[in-house]
Amino acid sequence: MKYTEFINKYASHPHYEAPKGSKLHARSWQTEAPLRMLLNNLHPDVAEDPSKLIVYGGTGQAARNVETLKKIIELLLELDENHSLLVQSGKAVGIVRTHPQAPRVLIANSNLVPAWANWEHFEELKERGLMMYGQMTAGSWIYIGSQGILQGTYETFVECGKKYFNNDLKHKLIVSGGLGGMGGAQPLAATMAGATYLGVDVDPLRIEKRLKTKYIDKMTADYQEAKNWVLEAKEKGEALSVGLVGDIGNVLEQLLADGIVPEIVTDQTSAHDPVFGYVPNSLTLDEAIELRESDQAAYKQMSLKSMARHVGFMLEIKKRGSIVFDYGNNLREYARQGGEENAFDYQGFVPEFIRPLFCDGKGPFRWVALSGDPEDIYTTDRALMDAFPENTHLIKWLKEAQRKVAFQGLPSRICWLGFGEREKAGLIFNDLVKTGKVTAPIVIGRDHLDCGSVASPNRETEGMIDGSDAVSDWPLLNLMSNTAGGATWVSFHHGGGVGMGFSQHAGMVVLADGTEQAAQNISNVLYNDPAMGIFRHADAGYESAKINAEKFNLKL
Ligand code: NAD
């Protein structure tokens, strides 16, 4: 298919869609795969705002602008297996000579020299068309919709239930803010874990999207109605989720005034970006949109103040007995800057619940059926259930996901797998392609939020026992080992999850196209990638990571 015909069919702004089926448009699956995944990131069912190329997480984009996007598509359609495309903050900037086992795309997004690594400098560059915010999986083309965070959120709630509620979230109420691309996974994760859930978002359209994709059960703009629904459901032990239109700070204030103490409180508003993410309580959504354009400095001040107030209510609720934790949006940092001195008095979800999984090399393993056929994902589900019969937790998860997760864009699946398991699963997928049991190749990737791929002192590396929270050699080593190991595309980003200046992280995607070469690459990459989590945590002194290193005979 010619370039113009391709653009008209699949990438006519703002209508984006990945090609489906087993027919190639690019020269090989190695380039067809990133091409389909880039377009999938922008599919209207997947992206939060395709008209601005925004995929999720505040302003996380897939490409810098429409022109640069088209150029990337044009080059991917042409690229052969002896070259690799360089993408700098969403713009193709060159093609280098490589070889068939090298990554076909090398991506660097939003990286700034540390002393300049702040939102103000970034915005200046963005204004001049020189940068874009890549978030974690937006600019690295492996976002899969709200499912991408669903199991992680589910694991987090389940761990919270184990740690604080005798492993039972029935008759327990979870309250949180933000029902966007990632936050939208919370209601479904909460009800899957057996809890009652109240989520608050200022933007009704975001809640409507969750209703449409069946991530949330009910919606209202009336506080009293939402309160009655959730209290009644909690009383009956019903796993119901409710989306309420409003400011989360205001709703927490009202809950406090009404003497309601939810068992669990967290937050997933886009607090990592105080200007283009968080909406201050003193503004309506329309006023916020206007002020973002006219006076960013004033907006930021209002936003920081509002976050301080919001966290103040979370701290008060904690005092009254709630389990309160940060869910990875850097709300505490900006609340501290806004004047809440005690903002860090509650912990982040990684040290609270997730770090032991990281010590096992566990993380958010995900895969996508490039065919677009849901049956291909069900085939992979069955293959995993057969391959891991002893892993009842995994089997329960896959069955639940089949029942409850509506696919967004190309059918995909997520499940947290550890060292050894990921390599085994990847090779099984490659065999399914080789033997024609699935109808087209599969891509295997993960979030940048993983055991050995990120340095983020307010999130993934908060409170490391050796104090190495801010050491970002680790994600760089992760990037290099995945590149050397033969990933199909790799990425290195700054600022994902928690905003400019607060994180550096690496991503990878590896193709299963049924070939021997793919099997070799999968084996290397899915060994190296989780091994990095064990190396990182063993080096920091975590006992369970040291035991794992010995158990798996990892060379330290
Ligand atoms: P998003 O931009 O798609 O959604 C954020 C939502 O917050 C929007 O719907 C917005 O209307 C709402 N909002 C903003 N201010 C509000 C307020 N005062 N009251 C109520 N609602 C408000 O972002 P997302 O993809 O859902 O990500 C949310 C946050 O979580 C981001 O900061 C992101 O970086 C972070 N994140 C965390 C994880 C994790 O694993 N914990 C993973 C990915 C992203």
Side-chain angles (χ1 to χ4, degrees), residues 48 56-58 135 149 178 180-183 200-203 206 246-248 268-272 277-279 327-329 349 449 459 497:
E48 291 299 308
Y56 79 104
Q135 254 292 2
I149 199 181
M182 294 284 89
V200 182
D201 200 297
V202 274
D203 185 348
R206 301 304 194 101
D247 168 73
I248 177 64
Q268 236 180 336
T269 54
S270 263
H272 70 276
Y278 195 83
V279 178
Y327 203 41
N329 58 359
F349 73 112
L449 180 171
R459 205 167 100 165

Side-chain angles (χ1 to χ4, degrees), residues 43-115:
H43 187 288
D45 290 348
V46 179
E48 291 299 308
D49 186 356
S51 72
K52 294 193 182 118
L53 307 183
I54 289 177
V55 183
Y56 79 104
T59 55
Q61 287 177 242
R64 204 185 298 178
N65 57 46
V66 175
E67 285 66 43
T68 63
L69 172 66
K70 285 188 179 160
K71 188 71 190 171
I72 293 171
I73 293 172
E74 184 183 347
L75 293 171
L76 285 174
L77 285 168
E78 286 298 313
L79 202 71
D80 64 27
E81 292 191 10
N82 286 311
H83 292 88
S84 302
L85 174 65
L86 303 177
V87 175
Q88 181 258 322
S89 285
K91 179 185 172 191
V93 291
I95 287 176
V96 288
R97 281 190 203 161
T98 54
H99 53 84
Q101 275 184 276
R104 290 282 72 81
V105 194
L106 304 162
I107 300 174
N109 280 321
S110 332
N111 295 291
L112 291 164
V113 168

Side-chain angles (χ1 to χ4, degrees), residues 41-212:
N41 263 16
L42 290 167
H43 187 288
D45 290 348
V46 179
E48 291 299 308
D49 186 356
S51 72
K52 294 193 182 118
L53 307 183
I54 289 177
V55 183
Y56 79 104
T59 55
Q61 287 177 242
R64 204 185 298 178
N65 57 46
V66 175
E67 285 66 43
T68 63
L69 172 66
K70 285 188 179 160
K71 188 71 190 171
I72 293 171
I73 293 172
E74 184 183 347
L75 293 171
L76 285 174
L77 285 168
E78 286 298 313
L79 202 71
D80 64 27
E81 292 191 10
N82 286 311
H83 292 88
S84 302
L85 174 65
L86 303 177
V87 175
Q88 181 258 322
S89 285
K91 179 185 172 191
V93 291
I95 287 176
V96 288
R97 281 190 203 161
T98 54
H99 53 84
Q101 275 184 276
R104 290 282 72 81
V105 194
L106 304 162
I107 300 174
N109 280 321
S110 332
N111 295 291
L112 291 164
V113 168
W116 281 262
N118 55 56
W119 279 117
E120 285 72 20
H121 189 65
F122 170 81
E123 288 301 339
E124 265 178 53
L125 293 167
K126 190 177 161 195
E127 192 68 18
R128 289 164 53 208
L130 298 174
M131 276 224 139
M132 72 161 204
Y133 182 52
Q135 254 292 2
M136 287 196 161
T137 51
S140 57
W141 313 338
I142 185 69
Y143 184 70
I144 57 167
S146 297
Q147 192 193 169
I149 199 181
L150 184 63
Q151 198 197 1
T153 311
Y154 169 79
E155 297 281 351
T156 301
F157 289 153
V158 167
E159 280 305 311
C160 183
K162 274 191 200 150
K163 193 163 168 181
Y164 295 109
F165 301 103
N166 218 1
N167 206 10
D168 187 8
L169 288 177
K170 210 170 166 185
H171 300 290
K172 306 288 179 292
L173 175 63
I174 301 176
V175 174
S176 183
L179 288 161
M182 294 284 89
Q186 291 184 110
L188 183 53
T191 54
M192 282 171 112
T196 306
Y197 176 87
L198 175 64
V200 182
D201 200 297
V202 274
D203 185 348
L205 295 179
R206 301 304 194 101
I207 309 181
E208 279 164 21
K209 187 157 183 165
R210 307 312 146 211
L211 271 180
K212 198 175 137 212

Side-chain angles (χ1 to χ4, degrees), residues 110 122 137 161 167 206 211 286 289 295 305 323 325 377 393 417 497:
S110 332
F122 170 81
T137 51
N167 206 10
R206 301 304 194 101
L211 271 180
D286 287 338
I289 292 166
D295 191 344
K305 239 177 101 189
I323 301 303
F325 62 88
I377 288 297
H393 187 68
L417 292 180

